[in-house]
C-alpha cells in the first residue's frame, strides 16, 4: 500500500506538472509603438526680393526730318533719362527708333536704327552701362500720330525708351 500511495502521489504530481505545462499563460499585451507622424518638410525659402526700382519715366526725344543728330533740347532730356538709369542700376531698357512715313521701308528702318544708336551712345557717355541697353528700329511701322502732315510727321520722328526689366 505504501507503494500504491507513493505511486498515486507520483502520478498526481506528474499529472499536476503535466497539467501546469498545458496551461496557457496569457500572452503579455504588447502595445504598438506610438505613431510618429513625420515632420513636414520645411517650406521652401522665399524667392529673392525683386530689385527695387523707383518709378522711372524716360521721356522720348524727337528729330528733324531725315536727321539722326541730337538737338540741344533733346540732350537735356537724355541727361535726365541717364540720371534715372544711373539711380536704378537694375533697370534695363530698349531704345526704339521711329520715323515718319516718308522714305522707303528700308531707308526708314536704317534711319530709325541710327536715331536709336545716337541716343544709346549719349546714355553710355553719361555713365549708363551699355549691357543694360538694347536698340530696335521700327521705321515707320508704329506711328505715334497717324496723320499725313508735318505736324503728325514731327511726332513720329522719335526715339522712345521702354523699360524691359524689372517690371
Amino acid at each position: 500500500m505504501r507503494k500504491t500511495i507513493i505511486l498515486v502521489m507520483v502520478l498526481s504530481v506528474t499529472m499536476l506538472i503535466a497539467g501546469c505545462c498545458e496551461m496557457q499563460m496569457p500572452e503579455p499585451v504588447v502595445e504598438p509603438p506610438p505613431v510618429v507622424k513625420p515632420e513636414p518638410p520645411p517650406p521652401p525659402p522665399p524667392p529673392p526680393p525683386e530689385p527695387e526700382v523707383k518709378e522711372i519715366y524716360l521721356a522720348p526725344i524727337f528729330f528733324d526730318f531725315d536727321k539722326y543728330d541730337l538737338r540741344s533740347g533733346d540732350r537735356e532730356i537724355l541727361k535726365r533719362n541717364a540720371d534715372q538709369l544711373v539711380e536704378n542700376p537694375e533697370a534695363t531698357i530698349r531704345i526704339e527708333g521711329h520715323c515718319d512715313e516718308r522714305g522707303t521701308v528700308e531707308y526708314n528702318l536704317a534711319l530709325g536704327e541710327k536715331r536709336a544708336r545716337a541716343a544709346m551712345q549719349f546714355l553710355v557717355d553719361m555713365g549708363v552701362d551699355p549691357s543694360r541697353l538694347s536698340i530696335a528700329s521700327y521705321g515707320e511701322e508704329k506711328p505715334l500720330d497717324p496723320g499725313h502732315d508735318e505736324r503728325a510727321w514731327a511726332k513720329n520722328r522719335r526715339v522712345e525708351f521702354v523699360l524691359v526689366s524689372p517690371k
Side-chain angles (χ1 to χ4, degrees):
M1 180 150 202
R2 200 165 193 236
K3 281 187 177 181
T4 310
I5 292 179
I6 291 178
L7 183 60
V8 170
M9 282 179 68
V10 169
L11 282 175
S12 297
V13 170
T14 305
M15 287 178 65
L16 182 63
I17 292 173
C20 286
C21 287
E22 289 181 17
M23 199 164 98
Q24 292 186 354
M25 298 293 284
E27 292 187 25
V29 177
V30 178
E31 292 186 28
V35 177
V36 177
K37 292 182 181 178
E39 290 186 31
E50 285 286 324
E52 187 175 324
V53 176
K54 298 175 188 171
E55 188 171 327
I56 297 178
Y57 172 71
L58 302 172
I61 59 172
F62 296 89
F63 294 85
D64 292 326
F65 174 69
D66 201 27
K67 302 285 184 188
Y68 60 92
D69 53 326
L70 302 173
R71 302 181 297 189
S72 62
D74 292 318
R75 289 177 188 275
E76 292 303 316
I77 292 170
L78 284 172
K79 285 179 187 175
R80 288 192 299 273
N81 288 354
D83 290 343
Q84 289 189 65
L85 291 169
V86 168
E87 289 175 15
N88 294 284
E90 298 83 16
T92 59
I93 62 166
R94 181 177 54 249
I95 304 168
E96 300 178 342
H98 300 270
C99 299
D100 62 34
E101 63 189 23
R102 297 174 289 179
T104 65
V105 171
E106 295 82 12
Y107 182 82
N108 285 338
L109 284 171
L111 182 57
E113 183 176 339
K114 289 176 184 178
R115 289 173 175 170
R117 287 197 185 282
M120 179 179 175
Q121 187 59 54
F122 189 90
L123 293 175
V124 169
D125 292 344
M126 295 300 296
V128 179
D129 182 353
S131 68
R132 298 170 47 206
L133 308 174
S134 63
I135 61 168
S137 176
Y138 292 105
E140 62 191 72
E141 295 174 27
K142 295 184 175 185
L144 188 62
D145 187 326
H148 304 285
D149 56 15
E150 185 54 45
R151 189 170 156 198
W153 295 331
K155 292 178 186 176
N156 294 334
R157 297 188 301 259
R158 71 194 188 282
V159 163
E160 293 182 340
F161 304 90
V162 178
L163 184 64
V164 175
S165 70
K167 288 189 174 183

